[in-house]
Amino acid sequence: MESICVWGGVALQGKVHIQGSKNAALPVLAATLLTGDSSYIRNCPRISDVHAMVSLLRELGCEVNWKEDGVLVNPAGICLGEMKSDAVRCMRSSLCLLGALLGRCGEVVMEHPGGCVIGSRPIDLHIAALEKMGVSFAVEGSRLKAVVKRLHGAEIRLEKPSVGATENVILAGVMAEGDTILHGAAREPEICALCRYLENCGALIEGTGGETLAIHGGRTLYGTDYRVPSDRIVAGTYLFACLVSGGNILLEDAPASEMESVLRLCEQMGGHVCISEEGIYVQGPAVPKAGGYVRTAAYPGFPTDLQSVALATASVAEGETVIEETIFENRFRIVEELRRMGAEIEVLNDKKVLVRGVPYLTGCEVEAKELRGGAALTVAALRAEGRTTITGCSYIYRGYENICRDFKELGARIISV
Ligand code: UD1
Protein backbone atom coordinates (compact mmCIF):
# COMPACT_ATOMS: atom_id res chain seq x y z
CA MET A 1 0.00 0.00 0.00
CA GLU A 2 2.68 2.49 -1.04
CA SER A 3 0.50 4.76 -3.20
CA ILE A 4 -2.98 6.23 -2.99
CA CYS A 5 -4.98 7.40 -6.03
CA VAL A 6 -7.76 9.94 -5.61
CA TRP A 7 -10.19 11.27 -8.20
CA GLY A 8 -11.33 14.56 -6.64
CA GLY A 9 -14.58 16.44 -6.81
CA VAL A 10 -16.80 14.37 -4.50
CA ALA A 11 -18.27 16.02 -1.39
CA LEU A 12 -17.73 13.72 1.63
CA GLN A 13 -20.97 12.47 3.20
CA GLY A 14 -21.80 10.12 6.08
CA LYS A 15 -20.08 9.14 9.29
CA VAL A 16 -16.61 7.97 10.14
CA HIS A 17 -15.40 6.43 13.37
CA ILE A 18 -12.31 8.12 14.83
CA GLN A 19 -9.54 5.68 15.80
CA GLY A 20 -7.63 5.67 19.09
CA SER A 21 -4.92 8.28 19.51
CA LYS A 22 -1.40 7.44 18.33
CA ASN A 23 0.28 9.97 20.59
CA ALA A 24 -1.64 8.70 23.62
CA ALA A 25 -1.23 4.99 22.85
CA LEU A 26 2.56 5.05 22.41
CA PRO A 27 3.56 6.42 25.85
CA VAL A 28 0.86 4.32 27.53
CA LEU A 29 2.33 1.20 25.90
CA ALA A 30 5.76 2.25 27.19
CA ALA A 31 4.24 2.76 30.65
CA THR A 32 2.94 -0.82 30.77
CA LEU A 33 6.58 -1.79 31.50
CA LEU A 34 6.37 -0.16 34.90
CA THR A 35 3.65 -2.36 36.34
CA GLY A 36 3.91 -5.71 38.03
CA ASP A 37 1.32 -7.44 35.90
CA SER A 38 -0.63 -7.33 32.63
CA SER A 39 -2.43 -4.29 31.28
CA TYR A 40 -5.15 -4.39 28.67
CA ILE A 41 -4.96 -1.32 26.42
CA ARG A 42 -8.25 -0.99 24.56
CA ASN A 43 -8.92 1.14 21.48
CA CYS A 44 -5.24 0.92 20.59
CA PRO A 45 -4.87 2.08 16.97
CA ARG A 46 -3.56 -0.51 14.49
CA ILE A 47 -0.99 1.76 12.87
CA SER A 48 2.61 1.07 11.97
CA ASP A 49 4.05 3.19 14.82
CA VAL A 50 2.10 1.08 17.32
CA HIS A 51 3.23 -2.13 15.60
CA ALA A 52 6.82 -0.88 15.90
CA MET A 53 6.32 -0.17 19.62
CA VAL A 54 4.83 -3.66 20.08
CA SER A 55 7.93 -5.16 18.38
CA LEU A 56 10.17 -3.20 20.74
CA LEU A 57 8.20 -4.35 23.80
CA ARG A 58 8.50 -7.96 22.62
CA GLU A 59 12.21 -7.52 22.00
CA LEU A 60 12.57 -6.32 25.59
CA GLY A 61 10.88 -9.48 26.87
CA CYS A 62 7.20 -8.48 27.19
CA GLU A 63 4.45 -10.79 26.08
CA VAL A 64 2.14 -8.77 23.83
CA ASN A 65 -1.04 -10.14 22.28
CA TRP A 66 -3.52 -8.33 20.08
CA LYS A 67 -7.17 -8.97 21.00
CA GLU A 68 -10.29 -7.84 19.20
CA ASP A 69 -10.52 -4.49 20.95
CA GLY A 70 -6.94 -3.79 21.94
CA VAL A 71 -3.66 -5.18 23.10
CA LEU A 72 -2.71 -7.16 26.20
CA VAL A 73 0.80 -6.49 27.53
CA ASN A 74 2.46 -8.66 30.15
CA PRO A 75 5.77 -7.04 31.19
CA ALA A 76 6.82 -9.80 33.63
CA GLY A 77 9.61 -11.09 31.36
CA ILE A 78 11.53 -7.81 31.02
CA CYS A 79 15.14 -8.17 32.01
CA LEU A 80 17.35 -5.87 29.95
CA GLY A 81 16.94 -2.32 28.75
CA GLU A 82 18.72 -2.84 25.46
CA MET A 83 16.92 -1.87 22.25
CA LYS A 84 18.72 -3.07 19.16
CA SER A 85 15.86 -2.86 16.76
CA ASP A 86 15.73 -0.49 13.78
CA ALA A 87 12.32 0.53 15.09
CA VAL A 88 14.11 2.92 17.46
CA ARG A 89 15.74 4.78 14.60
CA CYS A 90 12.52 5.21 12.65
CA MET A 91 10.17 5.99 15.53
CA ARG A 92 10.87 8.96 17.76
CA SER A 93 8.32 7.85 20.34
CA SER A 94 10.61 4.94 21.18
CA LEU A 95 12.21 7.72 23.23
CA CYS A 96 9.49 7.34 25.89
CA LEU A 97 10.84 3.86 26.51
CA LEU A 98 13.88 5.66 27.94
CA GLY A 99 12.05 6.93 31.04
CA ALA A 100 10.11 3.68 31.39
CA LEU A 101 13.16 1.42 31.09
CA LEU A 102 15.20 3.52 33.49
CA GLY A 103 12.34 3.10 35.93
CA ARG A 104 12.17 -0.63 35.38
CA CYS A 105 15.78 -1.76 34.72
CA GLY A 106 18.02 1.19 35.63
CA GLU A 107 19.87 0.90 32.34
CA VAL A 108 19.07 1.66 28.71
CA VAL A 109 21.12 1.28 25.56
CA MET A 110 19.42 2.55 22.40
CA GLU A 111 20.03 3.99 18.95
CA HIS A 112 19.39 7.71 18.63
CA PRO A 113 15.61 7.88 18.21
CA GLY A 114 14.26 8.88 14.80
CA GLY A 115 10.74 9.87 13.77
CA CYS A 116 9.36 12.03 11.00
CA VAL A 117 11.88 14.18 9.17
CA ILE A 118 10.66 17.45 10.61
CA GLY A 119 13.61 19.42 11.84
CA SER A 120 16.51 18.38 14.00
CA ARG A 121 14.39 17.10 16.91
CA PRO A 122 17.00 17.26 19.66
CA ILE A 123 16.72 15.31 22.93
CA ASP A 124 18.64 17.71 25.19
CA LEU A 125 15.58 18.45 27.37
CA HIS A 126 15.01 14.73 28.01
CA ILE A 127 18.65 14.26 28.98
CA ALA A 128 18.88 17.32 31.24
CA ALA A 129 15.68 16.37 33.09
CA LEU A 130 16.65 12.74 33.63
CA GLU A 131 20.16 13.76 34.74
CA LYS A 132 18.51 15.74 37.54
CA MET A 133 16.88 12.47 38.63
CA GLY A 134 20.26 10.75 38.93
CA VAL A 135 20.73 9.31 35.42
CA SER A 136 24.18 9.33 33.72
CA PHE A 137 24.36 9.42 29.93
CA ALA A 138 27.16 8.37 27.60
CA VAL A 139 27.32 8.20 23.82
CA GLU A 140 28.77 4.96 22.44
CA GLY A 141 29.11 5.31 18.66
CA SER A 142 25.59 5.86 17.31
CA ARG A 143 24.09 4.63 20.56
CA LEU A 144 23.02 6.32 23.72
CA LYS A 145 23.64 4.65 27.07
CA ALA A 146 21.75 5.74 30.17
CA VAL A 147 22.39 4.32 33.62
CA VAL A 148 20.96 5.03 37.05
CA LYS A 149 21.60 3.29 40.39
CA ARG A 150 18.45 4.64 41.97
CA LEU A 151 16.12 7.23 40.42
CA HIS A 152 15.36 10.04 42.82
CA GLY A 153 12.77 12.79 42.75
CA ALA A 154 13.90 16.28 41.73
CA GLU A 155 12.65 19.76 40.98
CA ILE A 156 12.84 20.17 37.20
CA ARG A 157 12.03 23.07 34.90
CA LEU A 158 11.61 22.46 31.16
CA GLU A 159 12.80 25.38 29.02
CA LYS A 160 10.24 24.42 26.37
CA PRO A 161 7.01 22.49 26.95
CA SER A 162 8.27 19.33 25.24
CA VAL A 163 5.64 16.60 25.06
CA GLY A 164 8.17 13.77 24.99
CA ALA A 165 10.35 15.19 27.79
CA THR A 166 7.26 15.69 29.99
CA GLU A 167 6.29 12.07 29.38
CA ASN A 168 9.78 10.80 30.22
CA VAL A 169 9.86 12.74 33.49
CA ILE A 170 6.43 11.34 34.43
CA LEU A 171 7.49 7.76 33.57
CA ALA A 172 10.74 8.04 35.54
CA GLY A 173 9.06 10.07 38.30
CA VAL A 174 6.47 7.44 39.26
CA MET A 175 9.32 4.95 39.82
CA ALA A 176 11.68 7.40 41.60
CA GLU A 177 12.26 7.64 45.31
CA GLY A 178 10.51 10.78 46.56
CA ASP A 179 8.61 13.49 44.73
CA THR A 180 9.36 15.09 41.37
CA ILE A 181 8.08 18.59 40.74
CA LEU A 182 8.00 19.40 37.04
CA HIS A 183 7.60 23.05 36.01
CA GLY A 184 6.92 24.07 32.41
CA ALA A 185 5.30 20.73 31.55
CA ALA A 186 3.55 20.33 28.20
CA ARG A 187 -0.24 20.29 28.57
CA GLU A 188 -1.20 18.17 25.55
CA PRO A 189 -4.22 15.89 26.18
CA GLU A 190 -2.01 12.86 25.46
CA ILE A 191 -0.04 13.68 28.65
CA CYS A 192 -3.29 13.63 30.61
CA ALA A 193 -4.01 10.24 29.00
CA LEU A 194 -0.66 8.91 30.24
CA CYS A 195 -1.31 10.29 33.75
CA ARG A 196 -4.79 8.70 33.79
CA TYR A 197 -3.34 5.31 32.81
CA LEU A 198 -0.65 5.54 35.53
CA GLU A 199 -3.19 6.69 38.11
CA ASN A 200 -5.36 3.68 37.21
CA CYS A 201 -2.27 1.58 37.95
CA GLY A 202 -1.88 3.18 41.40
CA ALA A 203 0.41 6.17 40.75
CA LEU A 204 -0.20 9.55 42.37
CA ILE A 205 0.23 12.58 40.11
CA GLU A 206 -1.04 16.03 40.99
CA GLY A 207 -1.68 18.90 38.60
CA THR A 208 -2.56 16.77 35.54
CA GLY A 209 -3.33 19.03 32.58
CA GLY A 210 -1.41 21.97 34.07
CA GLU A 211 2.08 23.42 33.70
CA THR A 212 3.28 22.15 37.06
CA LEU A 213 3.08 18.48 37.93
CA ALA A 214 3.85 16.82 41.25
CA ILE A 215 4.71 13.18 40.67
CA HIS A 216 4.82 11.17 43.86
CA GLY A 217 7.24 8.30 43.26
CA GLY A 218 7.81 4.90 44.73
CA ARG A 219 4.26 3.54 44.77
CA THR A 220 3.65 -0.02 43.63
CA LEU A 221 1.97 -0.04 40.22
CA TYR A 222 -0.48 -2.72 39.12
CA GLY A 223 -1.69 -3.63 35.65
CA THR A 224 -5.03 -2.21 34.60
CA ASP A 225 -7.68 -2.04 31.90
CA TYR A 226 -7.43 1.24 30.02
CA ARG A 227 -9.12 2.78 26.98
CA VAL A 228 -7.01 4.99 24.71
CA PRO A 229 -8.92 8.22 23.89
CA SER A 230 -9.84 9.12 20.30
CA ASP A 231 -7.26 10.76 18.07
CA ARG A 232 -7.79 14.54 17.88
CA ILE A 233 -5.35 14.82 14.96
CA VAL A 234 -7.12 12.19 12.85
CA ALA A 235 -10.46 13.85 13.73
CA GLY A 236 -9.00 17.23 12.67
CA THR A 237 -7.69 15.76 9.41
CA TYR A 238 -11.14 14.44 8.48
CA LEU A 239 -12.78 17.68 9.58
CA PHE A 240 -10.61 19.69 7.15
CA ALA A 241 -11.23 17.03 4.48
CA CYS A 242 -14.93 17.83 4.88
CA LEU A 243 -14.21 21.56 4.41
CA VAL A 244 -12.05 20.94 1.34
CA SER A 245 -14.64 18.72 -0.32
CA GLY A 246 -17.69 20.76 0.67
CA GLY A 247 -19.17 17.76 2.48
CA ASN A 248 -21.31 16.97 5.47
CA ILE A 249 -20.01 14.36 7.91
CA LEU A 250 -20.16 13.02 11.46
CA LEU A 251 -16.82 12.43 13.18
CA GLU A 252 -17.97 9.69 15.51
CA ASP A 253 -16.31 9.77 18.96
CA ALA A 254 -14.17 12.81 18.05
CA PRO A 255 -12.75 14.44 21.22
CA ALA A 256 -14.40 17.87 20.74
CA SER A 257 -13.22 19.24 24.09
CA GLU A 258 -9.58 18.79 22.98
CA MET A 259 -10.18 20.46 19.61
CA GLU A 260 -11.21 24.02 20.45
CA SER A 261 -8.55 25.78 18.36
CA VAL A 262 -9.21 23.42 15.45
CA LEU A 263 -12.98 23.92 15.57
CA ARG A 264 -12.44 27.68 15.74
CA LEU A 265 -10.40 27.64 12.52
CA CYS A 266 -12.93 25.33 10.89
CA GLU A 267 -15.73 27.83 11.60
CA GLN A 268 -13.55 30.73 10.44
CA MET A 269 -13.07 28.86 7.16
CA GLY A 270 -16.82 28.59 6.69
CA GLY A 271 -17.56 25.23 8.31
CA HIS A 272 -20.58 24.66 10.57
CA VAL A 273 -19.83 22.53 13.58
CA CYS A 274 -22.30 20.85 15.91
CA ILE A 275 -21.11 18.87 18.92
CA SER A 276 -23.23 16.06 20.26
CA GLU A 277 -22.75 12.93 22.38
CA GLU A 278 -22.06 11.01 19.17
CA GLY A 279 -19.17 13.25 18.14
CA ILE A 280 -18.78 16.26 15.88
CA TYR A 281 -21.04 17.03 12.92
CA VAL A 282 -19.31 19.20 10.31
CA GLN A 283 -20.85 20.85 7.30
CA GLY A 284 -18.39 22.28 4.82
CA PRO A 285 -19.15 25.38 2.73
CA ALA A 286 -19.32 25.20 -1.09
CA VAL A 287 -15.94 26.95 -1.07
CA PRO A 288 -13.85 27.32 2.11
CA LYS A 289 -13.07 30.84 3.31
CA ALA A 290 -9.50 31.97 4.00
CA GLY A 291 -8.13 31.16 7.45
CA GLY A 292 -6.64 34.60 8.26
CA TYR A 293 -3.49 34.15 10.35
CA VAL A 294 -2.92 30.57 11.54
CA ARG A 295 -0.12 30.07 14.06
CA THR A 296 0.79 26.70 15.49
CA ALA A 297 1.49 26.56 19.22
CA ALA A 298 1.71 24.14 22.12
CA TYR A 299 -1.67 22.93 23.41
CA PRO A 300 -4.23 24.51 23.68
CA GLY A 301 -2.92 26.37 20.60
CA PHE A 302 -3.42 25.17 17.05
CA PRO A 303 -1.57 21.82 16.72
CA THR A 304 1.52 21.63 14.55
CA ASP A 305 0.32 18.17 13.51
CA LEU A 306 -2.62 19.80 11.67
CA GLN A 307 -0.60 22.60 10.08
CA SER A 308 -0.16 20.78 6.74
CA VAL A 309 -3.85 19.91 6.56
CA ALA A 310 -4.76 23.55 7.27
CA LEU A 311 -2.34 24.56 4.51
CA ALA A 312 -4.00 22.16 2.05
CA THR A 313 -7.40 23.62 2.97
CA ALA A 314 -6.16 27.21 2.60
CA SER A 315 -4.91 26.27 -0.90
CA VAL A 316 -8.50 25.96 -2.14
CA ALA A 317 -10.03 28.70 0.03
CA GLU A 318 -11.36 32.04 -1.14
CA GLY A 319 -8.70 34.62 -0.23
CA GLU A 320 -5.33 34.68 1.52
CA THR A 321 -4.14 32.76 4.58
CA VAL A 322 -0.84 33.18 6.41
CA ILE A 323 0.44 30.11 8.22
CA GLU A 324 3.19 30.34 10.81
CA GLU A 325 4.87 27.22 12.18
CA THR A 326 6.38 27.80 15.62
CA ILE A 327 7.07 24.26 16.89
CA PHE A 328 9.19 22.46 14.30
CA GLU A 329 11.54 23.61 11.56
CA ASN A 330 11.34 22.00 8.16
CA ARG A 331 7.60 21.43 8.41
CA PHE A 332 6.71 23.03 5.05
CA ARG A 333 7.90 20.14 2.91
CA ILE A 334 4.39 19.77 1.53
CA VAL A 335 4.56 23.22 -0.14
CA GLU A 336 6.49 21.96 -3.15
CA GLU A 337 4.00 19.11 -3.67
CA LEU A 338 0.93 21.36 -3.33
CA ARG A 339 2.46 23.79 -5.84
CA ARG A 340 2.79 20.88 -8.24
CA MET A 341 -1.00 20.51 -7.89
CA GLY A 342 -1.47 24.20 -8.76
CA ALA A 343 -1.55 25.74 -5.28
CA GLU A 344 -0.27 29.32 -4.96
CA ILE A 345 1.96 29.42 -1.92
CA GLU A 346 4.65 31.98 -1.22
CA VAL A 347 7.29 31.07 1.33
CA LEU A 348 7.80 34.27 3.37
CA ASN A 349 10.57 32.77 5.51
CA ASP A 350 11.39 29.33 6.93
CA LYS A 351 8.56 29.64 9.47
CA LYS A 352 5.87 31.42 7.50
CA VAL A 353 3.96 30.94 4.23
CA LEU A 354 1.31 32.99 2.46
CA VAL A 355 -1.35 30.95 0.68
CA ARG A 356 -3.49 32.51 -2.07
CA GLY A 357 -6.44 30.18 -2.51
CA VAL A 358 -7.32 28.87 -5.97
CA PRO A 359 -10.76 27.45 -6.93
CA TYR A 360 -9.48 23.93 -7.51
CA LEU A 361 -6.22 21.98 -7.71
CA THR A 362 -5.08 19.73 -10.55
CA GLY A 363 -4.41 16.04 -10.05
CA CYS A 364 -0.83 14.83 -10.63
CA GLU A 365 1.77 12.64 -8.92
CA VAL A 366 2.92 13.93 -5.54
CA GLU A 367 5.05 12.43 -2.80
CA ALA A 368 4.31 12.04 0.90
CA LYS A 369 7.52 13.02 2.68
CA GLU A 370 6.28 12.67 6.24
CA LEU A 371 3.21 11.50 8.11
CA ARG A 372 1.01 14.60 8.43
CA GLY A 373 2.13 16.09 5.11
CA GLY A 374 1.11 12.83 3.42
CA ALA A 375 -2.35 12.94 4.98
CA ALA A 376 -2.66 16.59 3.91
CA LEU A 377 -1.91 15.69 0.27
CA THR A 378 -4.71 13.10 0.39
CA VAL A 379 -7.02 15.83 1.70
CA ALA A 380 -5.91 18.29 -1.02
CA ALA A 381 -6.57 15.63 -3.68
CA LEU A 382 -10.26 15.65 -2.72
CA ARG A 383 -10.54 19.01 -4.49
CA ALA A 384 -8.25 18.31 -7.42
CA GLU A 385 -9.49 17.81 -10.97
CA GLY A 386 -8.57 14.43 -12.39
CA ARG A 387 -6.39 11.83 -10.70
CA THR A 388 -3.88 12.54 -7.94
CA THR A 389 -1.40 9.80 -7.10
CA ILE A 390 0.25 10.11 -3.70
CA THR A 391 3.42 8.04 -3.41
CA GLY A 392 5.38 7.26 -0.24
CA CYS A 393 2.20 6.47 1.66
CA SER A 394 3.88 4.21 4.21
CA TYR A 395 4.41 7.45 6.16
CA ILE A 396 0.64 7.95 6.34
CA TYR A 397 0.08 4.46 7.78
CA ARG A 398 2.33 5.39 10.70
CA GLY A 399 -0.56 7.40 12.09
CA TYR A 400 -3.77 6.61 10.19
CA GLU A 401 -5.27 3.10 10.41
CA ASN A 402 -6.83 3.28 6.97
CA ILE A 403 -7.34 6.74 5.50
CA CYS A 404 -8.37 5.17 2.18
CA ARG A 405 -11.12 3.05 3.73
CA ASP A 406 -12.36 6.00 5.78
CA PHE A 407 -12.54 8.43 2.83
CA LYS A 408 -14.07 5.73 0.61
CA GLU A 409 -16.81 5.10 3.20
CA LEU A 410 -17.48 8.84 3.09
CA GLY A 411 -17.98 8.60 -0.69
CA ALA A 412 -14.55 9.63 -2.01
CA ARG A 413 -13.21 8.00 -5.17
CA ILE A 414 -9.99 6.67 -3.71
CA ILE A 415 -7.96 3.47 -3.95
CA SER A 416 -4.67 2.25 -2.52
CA VAL A 417 -2.32 0.63 -4.99
C1 UD1 B 1 5.12 15.11 20.15
C2 UD1 B 1 4.18 14.38 19.20
C3 UD1 B 1 4.17 15.04 17.84
C4 UD1 B 1 3.85 16.52 17.97
C5 UD1 B 1 4.76 17.20 18.99
C6 UD1 B 1 4.37 18.64 19.28
C7 UD1 B 1 4.22 12.10 19.98
C8 UD1 B 1 4.60 10.70 19.72
N1 UD1 B 1 4.60 13.01 19.08
O1 UD1 B 1 6.43 15.01 19.59
O2 UD1 B 1 3.18 14.39 17.04
O3 UD1 B 1 4.02 17.14 16.72
O4 UD1 B 1 4.72 16.48 20.25
O5 UD1 B 1 3.06 18.70 19.71
O6 UD1 B 1 3.55 12.41 20.95
N2 UD1 B 1 12.71 19.97 21.72
C9 UD1 B 1 14.00 20.35 22.09
N3 UD1 B 1 14.70 19.49 22.88
C10 UD1 B 1 14.19 18.30 23.33
C11 UD1 B 1 12.87 17.95 22.95
C12 UD1 B 1 12.16 18.82 22.14
O7 UD1 B 1 14.48 21.41 21.70
O8 UD1 B 1 14.89 17.58 24.06
C13 UD1 B 1 11.93 20.89 20.85
C14 UD1 B 1 11.57 20.23 19.51
O9 UD1 B 1 12.63 20.35 18.58
C15 UD1 B 1 10.36 21.05 19.13
C16 UD1 B 1 9.68 21.33 20.48
O10 UD1 B 1 10.68 21.15 21.47
O11 UD1 B 1 10.75 22.25 18.57
C17 UD1 B 1 8.51 20.43 20.79
O12 UD1 B 1 8.91 19.06 20.66
P1 UD1 B 1 8.22 17.92 21.53
O13 UD1 B 1 7.02 18.49 22.22
O14 UD1 B 1 9.25 17.26 22.36
O15 UD1 B 1 7.74 16.90 20.41
P2 UD1 B 1 7.71 15.34 20.47
O16 UD1 B 1 7.48 14.88 21.88
O17 UD1 B 1 8.86 14.80 19.73
Side-chain angles (χ1 to χ4, degrees):
M1 291 208 297
E2 282 297 316
S3 299
I4 291 176
C5 293
V6 184
W7 288 262
V10 178
L12 299 184
Q13 302 285 344
K15 68 175 175 184
V16 59
H17 178 77
I18 302 301
Q19 69 185 61
S21 161
K22 166 174 101 66
N23 288 355
L26 293 169
V28 165
L29 285 171
T32 60
L33 294 184
L34 300 179
T35 64
D37 46 348
S38 299
S39 284
Y40 188 44
I41 311 301
R42 285 179 292 117
N43 201 34
C44 199
R46 290 173 192 252
I47 51 176
S48 60
D49 265 14
V50 164
H51 294 308
M53 177 61 91
V54 164
S55 305
L56 280 171
L57 291 176
R58 286 189 178 133
E59 196 178 292
L60 291 164
C62 295
E63 203 183 306
V64 189
N65 290 303
W66 281 97
K67 308 271 174 195
E68 199 184 320
D69 179 30
V71 68
L72 184 66
V73 187
N74 180 354
I78 290 251
C79 45
L80 265 180
E82 184 163 4
M83 289 182 273
K84 293 181 193 140
S85 166
D86 274 355
V88 176
R89 254 196 304 265
C90 58
M91 188 183 61
R92 182 167 166 98
S93 17
S94 54
L95 193 54
C96 54
L97 282 167
L98 180 62
L101 280 171
L102 284 168
R104 174 83 191 221
C105 313
E107 184 173 324
V108 182
V109 183
M110 67 193 292
E111 291 290 334
H112 193 286
C116 266
V117 271
I118 45 173
S120 54
R121 306 193 83 165
I123 60 169
D124 55 317
L125 300 174
H126 299 248
I127 291 177
L130 291 168
E131 275 176 345
K132 281 210 152 185
M133 301 177 81
V135 182
S136 306
F137 287 89
V139 176
E140 295 179 348
S142 63
R143 309 176 92 193
L144 184 69
K145 184 170 181 182
V147 187
V148 64
K149 273 217 179 86
R150 184 172 283 174
L151 282 168
H152 57 74
E155 184 149 4
I156 298 168
R157 183 172 296 278
L158 291 180
E159 279 166 40
K160 274 188 200 170
S162 157
V163 174
T166 301
E167 289 165 352
N168 260 329
V169 170
I170 293 170
L171 290 164
V174 292
M175 300 305 276
E177 211 174 270
D179 297 342
T180 300
I181 310 297
L182 178 63
H183 303 282
R187 296 160 60 200
E188 267 63 6
E190 294 75 23
I191 290 165
C192 301
L194 173 64
C195 291
R196 273 197 302 274
Y197 166 76
L198 287 166
E199 280 167 346
N200 281 0
C201 296
L204 186 57
I205 301 167
E206 286 177 89
T208 300
E211 281 173 8
T212 301
L213 299 177
I215 306 142
H216 302 285
R219 294 165 70 102
T220 306
L221 303 184
Y222 303 95
T224 190
D225 184 312
Y226 178 78
R227 187 175 194 279
V228 174
S230 304
D231 196 308
R232 65 192 170 104
I233 304 300
V234 171
T237 305
Y238 294 178
L239 177 137
F240 283 109
C242 180
L243 281 194
V244 165
S245 72
N248 192 349
I249 65 174
L250 167 63
L251 304 164
E252 211 176 40
D253 265 354
S257 62
E258 300 172 358
M259 295 176 65
E260 262 183 45
S261 62
V262 176
L263 298 180
R264 220 177 298 129
L265 180 61
C266 171
E267 292 196 316
Q268 192 173 333
M269 296 185 94
H272 291 290
V273 171
C274 177
I275 298 164
S276 80
E277 269 184 10
E278 283 179 288
I280 303 175
Y281 287 90
V282 199
Q283 188 174 2
V287 180
K289 292 184 196 155
Y293 196 104
V294 181
R295 187 176 184 272
T296 64
Y299 188 82
F302 189 81
T304 173
D305 286 348
L306 285 174
Q307 180 258 99
S308 305
V309 181
L311 212 164
T313 310
S315 296
V316 293
E318 220 168 353
E320 294 183 351
T321 306
V322 173
I323 299 187
E324 183 186 354
E325 171 60 54
T326 73
I327 308 293
F328 290 112
E329 352 127 30
N330 206 13
R331 218 172 193 185
F332 286 128
R333 301 187 79 203
I334 190 187
V335 166
E336 199 185 313
E337 305 305 304
L338 285 175
R339 277 182 181 154
R340 220 189 282 259
M341 296 173 77
E344 287 184 18
I345 305 167
E346 190 181 331
V347 178
L348 300 177
N349 57 45
D350 57 355
K351 293 197 158 151
K352 220 184 263 186
V353 295
L354 167 67
V355 190
R356 294 187 186 87
V358 295
Y360 55 85
L361 299 170
T362 307
C364 63
E365 187 171 316
V366 287
E367 186 190 348
K369 293 176 179 166
E370 37 94 13
L371 161 58
R372 304 301 173 188
L377 288 172
T378 315
V379 169
L382 297 172
R383 209 181 182 98
E385 286 195 328
R387 185 178 79 174
T388 304
T389 303
I390 301 129
T391 62
C393 291
S394 51
Y395 279 120
I396 303 177
Y397 297 108
R398 289 187 42 193
Y400 296 79
E401 281 187 339
N402 200 334
I403 199 168
C404 256
R405 176 203 59 203
D406 290 346
F407 282 172
K408 193 180 241 159
E409 279 177 13
L410 293 171
R413 287 174 295 183
I414 183 168
I415 52 166
S416 58
V417 286

